[in-house]
């Protein structure tokens, strides 16, 4: 059985909730990623910030990304899976919530992220087709 830890991109990094959006953008650039999990003071997942959140929710609204924190931009309940979750559970979580990136947690710690690219490398054509149909469907 293929598990989340088998398809994830290991080495994902948190950004602390108190960090500003300009720092998040710098981390994304340095890590070559489009999203970062947000950690609270106990290194627990409290959200995810994306490059789109920064552009659309901050810059395009005329706000200064050096003055807005990641926690201020985090919306909703963050979704995640345990490292030993099977691929079916990963797909269900991503499809049912129409999300494109999913943190992988083991022992209450971030161990990786699963992205669309990770799915494309590990799933059958039929699984990818079903994923795309549900995640990209008009809401």
């Amino acid at each position: 059985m293929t598990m989340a830890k088998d398809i994830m991109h290991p080495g994902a990094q948190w950004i602390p909730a108190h960090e500003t959006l300009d720092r998040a953008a710098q981390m994304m650039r340095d890590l070559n990623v489009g999203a970062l999990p947000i950690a609270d003071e106990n290194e627990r997942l409290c959200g995810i910030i994306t490059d789109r959140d920064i552009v659309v929710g901050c810059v395009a609204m005329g706000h200064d990304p050096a003055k807005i924190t990641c926690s201020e931009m985090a919306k909703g309940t963050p979704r995640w899976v345990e490292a030993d979750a099977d691929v079916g559970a990963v797909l269900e979580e991503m499809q049912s919530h129409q999300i494109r990136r999913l943190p992988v947690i083991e022992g209450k710690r971030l161990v990786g992220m699963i992205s669309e690219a990770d799915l494309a490398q590990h799933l059958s054509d039929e699984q990818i087709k079903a994923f795309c149909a549900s995640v990209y469907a008009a809401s």
Side-chain angles (χ1 to χ4, degrees):
M1 172 175 68
T2 304
M3 295 183 278
K5 64 183 172 187
D6 300 323
I7 65 170
M8 72 180 189
H9 184 85
Q13 294 186 28
W14 302 105
I15 186 157
H18 63 73
E19 286 287 357
T20 58
L21 297 182
D22 62 336
R23 179 66 188 123
Q26 292 163 3
M27 279 185 70
M28 288 180 199
R29 177 201 60 213
D30 294 346
L31 297 170
N32 195 30
V33 297
L36 292 169
I38 303 169
D40 66 14
E41 62 278 353
N42 298 314
E43 290 193 1
R44 307 278 309 256
L45 181 67
C46 62
I48 294 179
I49 189 78
T50 68
D51 48 7
R52 180 172 169 78
D53 293 334
I54 295 169
V55 172
V56 175
C58 179
V59 176
M61 299 299 287
H63 301 296
D64 182 352
K67 295 182 179 175
I68 306 291
T69 65
C70 291
S71 64
E72 291 176 88
M73 287 298 295
K75 296 181 180 113
T77 303
R79 310 308 307 182
W80 53 272
V81 292
E82 289 283 345
D84 60 359
D86 69 61
V87 172
V90 170
L91 285 172
E92 172 62 27
E93 189 69 18
M94 293 176 82
Q95 289 172 319
S96 65
H97 298 284
Q98 292 186 309
I99 55 176
R100 299 176 186 148
R101 299 169 183 106
L102 188 64
V104 180
I105 306 292
E106 187 171 52
K108 298 183 181 178
R109 298 284 181 233
L110 177 70
V111 294
M113 290 281 282
I114 297 174
S115 69
E116 297 163 307
D118 298 316
L119 295 178
Q121 293 175 10
H122 294 92
L123 300 180
S124 70
D125 289 346
E126 285 302 313
Q127 287 173 309
I128 293 168
K129 181 180 175 183
F131 171 79
C132 290
S134 64
V135 171
Y136 296 104
S139 304

